[in-house]
Amino acid sequence: MADPTDPPAVGDDAAILSRYADHPPPPRWVYVVAGIVIGGAFASMGLVPWPVALTLLVLAAAVALGIDRWLARRHGIPPLRKLPAPVRREPIALIAGVAAVVSMIVVIADRLDEPSLRAAFILAGVVFAVGFGIGGPIVDRRARDRARKLLR
């Protein structure tokens, strides 16, 4: 639902919103692949040396940005950074929320000293992959609905 305080879409925002709202959503596998790639990179932090794991995280972030650009080129979906703020809120909240949960798993595991940190990183990677794979299509649908309401 559009926030009543959101300004109406005009000019370039209306064109971007129209292109985003009217275009069919990307296939579900896009979210699953992005979640697995980033979650796998995060899980690797418990399995490989830190420099390798950080390199994998950077590569996973590059893959995620590449997917966003690929969707823009191939499917005509505007990149997340070009969408107006009211439409961007939920996708950014999903990313931040999943990242916060994943971080808390590792922090709690580190504080407890009971479970191994390796297992915590693996669990955090799985949580990231599942959270993004399931939450991505849901958030995308809600963002598209918000874009349609802003165009009215």
Side-chain angles (χ1 to χ4, degrees):
M1 182 169 134
D3 188 351
T5 61
D6 290 338
V10 293
D12 288 341
D13 283 351
I16 289 171
L17 285 174
S18 176
R19 204 169 89 210
Y20 180 67
D22 295 338
H23 199 282
R28 287 182 177 265
W29 65 262
V30 170
Y31 298 103
V32 173
V33 167
I36 289 172
V37 167
I38 297 171
F42 199 83
S44 74
M45 294 180 85
L47 303 172
V48 298
W50 285 96
V52 174
L54 290 176
T55 303
L56 289 174
L57 275 175
V58 169
L59 290 174
V63 166
L65 290 174
I67 288 173
D68 194 38
R69 288 188 181 142
W70 173 75
L71 287 171
R73 272 188 260 122
R74 173 143 175 149
H75 294 282
I77 299 170
L80 183 62
R81 64 183 161 70
K82 288 190 177 182
L83 292 174
V87 178
R88 253 192 333 237
R89 284 184 195 135
E90 287 188 48
I92 290 175
L94 172 70
I95 294 166
V98 170
V101 169
V102 164
S103 298
M104 289 308 299
I105 289 171
V106 174
V107 168
I108 290 170
D110 185 47
R111 296 285 181 214
L112 291 178
D113 288 334
E114 270 306 307
S116 86
L117 202 52
R118 176 177 291 169
F121 275 114
I122 293 170
L123 175 63
V126 170
V127 167
F128 191 95
V130 170
F132 200 74
I134 292 173
I138 294 168
V139 167
D140 183 60
R141 186 180 67 243
R142 291 176 55 117
R144 288 173 191 280
D145 290 343
R146 181 179 295 251
R148 285 184 201 97
K149 287 178 182 170
L150 287 172
L151 287 169
R152 289 184 194 162

